[in-house]
Amino acid sequence: MRPTGFPLLVVSSLLWAVSAGAGTRPHYGGTLDVQMQAAPVSLDPSDSNQLDCRNLFGLLFDTLISLDEQGGPEPALATSWQSEPGNQRWRLFLRRGVTFQDGAPVTPDAAAASLRKANPTWKVFSEGEAIIIERDSPAPNLPAELTLPRNSIVKREGGKISGTGPFAVSLWDPGKRLSLTARDDYWNGRAFLNAIEVEMGKNLREQMISFDLGKAQVIEVAPEQAHRANAEGRRVDSSAPVELLALVFGHDPQLPDDGRQRQALALSIDRESMNTVVLQGGGEPAGGLLPNWMTGYGFLFPAALNLAQARQVRSEIPHTTSWTLGYDPADPTAHVIAERIALNARDAGLGIQITSGTGADLRLVRIPLISIDPQIALGELAAGLGLSQPKFASSSVDDLYSAENKLLQSQRVIPLLHLRMAYGVSNTVKHWRTGRDGNWRLANVWLAAEKP
């Protein structure tokens, strides 16, 4: 008898290997279903208060320059750039052959018009094949500034906007739904995904239910829920700590005792317990505005509870003021944190009443870092917190520390925590990656068939 079993086993093994390999190779096609809390009514990145939409902007628009994972500038729509002595006048050379979603070419004139819209105080114009940017004062960090979402290159015409990004808008129902289709002519290569469907205005509970029912493949997860979601078998991908949770006062201290009272409050807050118990390790205690991973000197700003010193400072104040603390009533975690702050303050002999109304003496706020360039991040944080803009004499770490310390010395803000951004991601979504800054990295994302 001829021995046929072994050859058949070899053939079947080879067929299985080919089949398995085909199932794990990236391929084009499919629709990614995403849900988010934000409900924007505009897709224009130059509009204010759009920090929670930057991942959407990254699908629709490009900037002239982008940042690599280390925070260094690299070419995007601009292939190169140079500054004249003094760093007040910059020249950028545009990539050729790029088109907007509507098919119109991206010209230096079009790019200049887009930047003027987003930055009315800049002088921006075209000069041959180049874009010229002139500033009122030296701007040595302009390349990093140009990577901000508001500086995306956008064509605005007849009330419509068009971008150069990897996806084009096929349906837009403001605040409710956004349908995107992959562009075959994208200058940096077609995305593997065919389309992305985004449902907006969904709270975190609704998103988790949709995720568990298989109706959404990417959702937002609260920092305090990330560990639990992972333990329950859900796939969760998190960023570095990139969102500042802080207390912000509405005005500068009016008297020395007012400043000492703010100092006592900062010393009384148990940030470690807040992070461990309330946020389930979803962040890191913060004494500074920027996270330590970005600067390397975060440990120089004390964040530890020091109740004895808080009480000592409080004892030196003849008369204290009872403050009201405002928080976002739509955020249940914010309410819990506000209550803990009030209890910590009481332990130090300070009075705080929490309120969900407006007009509070201080507010509990959350502000995401919009750049991984520390100087740009600090400037954007200062603007969001209502503080004066930091001044930088150089790009050195010492200069950055000095600028951040000056903002903290104003006693307008008390940093509490730096939070991570977390996303629930279906196992059918392959090569998903969340950047350190919380931005989606979708260039190599593809969809696999769900196992029966």
Side-chain angles (χ1 to χ4, degrees):
M1 180 180 292
R2 297 171 60 185
T4 58
F6 181 71
L8 285 174
L9 179 61
V10 171
V11 171
S12 64
S13 298
L14 288 173
L15 289 175
W16 179 87
V18 170
S19 175
T24 57
R25 282 200 301 268
H27 58 79
Y28 291 93
T31 298
L32 183 68
D33 293 307
V34 178
Q35 292 189 358
M36 59 187 293
Q37 291 186 91
V41 295
S42 169
L43 291 178
D44 193 327
S46 71
D47 290 346
S48 59
N49 300 320
Q50 295 275 43
L51 293 182
D52 50 3
C53 297
R54 58 181 176 172
N55 278 317
L56 295 185
F57 296 150
L59 302 175
L60 296 170
F61 309 107
D62 294 303
T63 50
L64 293 173
I65 301 171
S66 60
L67 294 180
D68 60 25
E69 285 294 316
Q70 287 68 48
E74 59 182 8
L77 291 182
T79 57
S80 62
W81 51 91
Q82 60 189 36
S83 67
E84 295 185 2
N87 292 318
Q88 284 186 243
R89 193 173 196 266
W90 287 79
R91 182 186 302 269
L92 299 99
F93 298 93
L94 199 62
R95 187 179 300 276
R96 295 183 178 182
V98 179
T99 61
F100 289 106
Q101 171 188 334
D102 63 4
V106 179
T107 63
D109 279 342
S114 180
L115 290 176
R116 285 196 299 270
K117 166 69 174 176
N119 306 278
T121 63
W122 295 6
K123 185 178 181 181
V124 190
F125 55 94
S126 63
E127 190 176 90
E129 294 298 311
I131 302 159
I132 309 298
I133 300 177
E134 294 181 352
R135 302 285 295 272
D136 293 336
S137 58
N141 212 20
L142 181 69
E145 194 170 353
L146 289 173
T147 68
L148 295 174
R150 66 167 176 266
N151 290 322
S152 299
I153 301 305
V154 185
K155 179 185 175 186
R156 302 172 177 89
E157 190 173 83
K160 297 182 178 181
I161 61 173
S162 186
T164 66
F167 290 86
V169 176
S170 55
L171 174 67
W172 168 230
D173 187 358
K176 296 179 180 178
R177 179 177 291 274
L178 175 65
S179 299
L180 304 175
T181 305
R183 293 183 57 183
D184 293 327
D185 61 347
Y186 182 52
W187 63 271
N188 203 24
R190 187 196 190 280
F192 284 108
L193 299 169
N194 275 351
I196 300 177
E197 291 286 338
V198 184
E199 285 191 78
M200 304 171 176
K202 298 290 186 180
N203 63 46
L204 296 179
R205 182 175 180 275
E206 291 174 324
Q207 292 186 48
M208 188 63 75
I209 291 173
S210 294
F211 186 79
D212 289 340
L213 293 176
K215 296 180 179 179
Q217 294 158 297
V218 176
I219 61 169
E220 299 161 327
V221 178
E224 66 272 16
Q225 294 295 328
H227 178 76
R228 178 180 176 182
N230 222 336
E232 292 175 346
R234 302 179 183 92
R235 175 186 169 196
V236 178
D237 198 42
S238 299
S239 70
V242 291
E243 187 173 35
L244 175 67
L245 180 70
L247 292 174
V248 182
F249 289 87
H251 55 77
D252 293 334
Q254 303 300 301
L255 298 169
D257 281 353
D258 188 12
R260 284 194 286 271
Q261 186 171 334
R262 297 182 186 195
Q263 179 189 3
L265 175 61
L267 291 166
S268 73
I269 298 173
D270 190 351
R271 296 168 177 83
E272 186 63 46
S273 175
M274 195 180 294
N275 180 53
T276 303
V277 179
V278 180
L279 293 172
Q280 297 293 300
E284 293 179 355
L289 298 172
L290 298 177
N292 186 68
W293 67 264
M294 182 180 285
T295 66
Y297 61 66
F299 63 93
L300 295 176
F301 297 119
L305 166 67
N306 193 334
L307 188 56
Q309 188 177 354
R311 288 171 173 167
Q312 175 62 37
V313 174
R314 164 63 185 88
S315 70
E316 299 168 358
I317 307 171
H319 303 288
T320 61
T321 302
S322 181
W323 288 317
T324 53
L325 168 58
Y327 67 95
D328 181 2
D331 184 352
T333 303
H335 185 204
V336 177
I337 290 175
E339 287 182 330
R340 279 187 167 259
I341 292 170
L343 289 172
N344 290 162
R346 186 186 305 166
D347 290 339
L350 303 173
I352 287 183
Q353 299 295 322
I354 64 172
T355 175
S356 59
T358 58
D361 298 309
L362 64 161
R363 296 174 294 114
L364 182 64
V365 301
R366 291 171 62 160
I367 300 182
L369 304 182
I370 200 168
S371 175
I372 59 174
D373 179 279
Q375 287 192 359
I376 298 300
L378 187 62
E380 294 296 308
L381 274 179
L385 295 168
L387 307 178
S388 59
Q389 276 297 299
K391 305 296 183 182
F392 303 103
S394 70
S395 59
S396 70
V397 174
D398 289 343
D399 198 44
L400 179 69
Y401 169 81
S402 178
E404 183 174 356
N405 190 48
K406 186 175 181 180
L407 291 176
L408 292 170
Q409 291 302 315
S410 72
Q411 294 189 300
R412 286 282 305 280
V413 57
I414 299 176
L416 302 175
L417 297 160
H418 287 116
L419 309 178
R420 296 179 179 85
M421 291 184 177
Y423 303 98
V425 184
S426 167
N427 290 326
T428 62
V429 180
K430 304 301 180 182
H431 289 184
W432 172 276
R433 190 166 65 88
T434 301
R436 287 193 302 173
D437 54 0
N439 285 342
W440 302 339
R441 303 290 192 260
L442 296 186
N444 296 314
V445 168
W446 56 281
L447 299 179
E450 233 177 314
K451 293 182 179 180

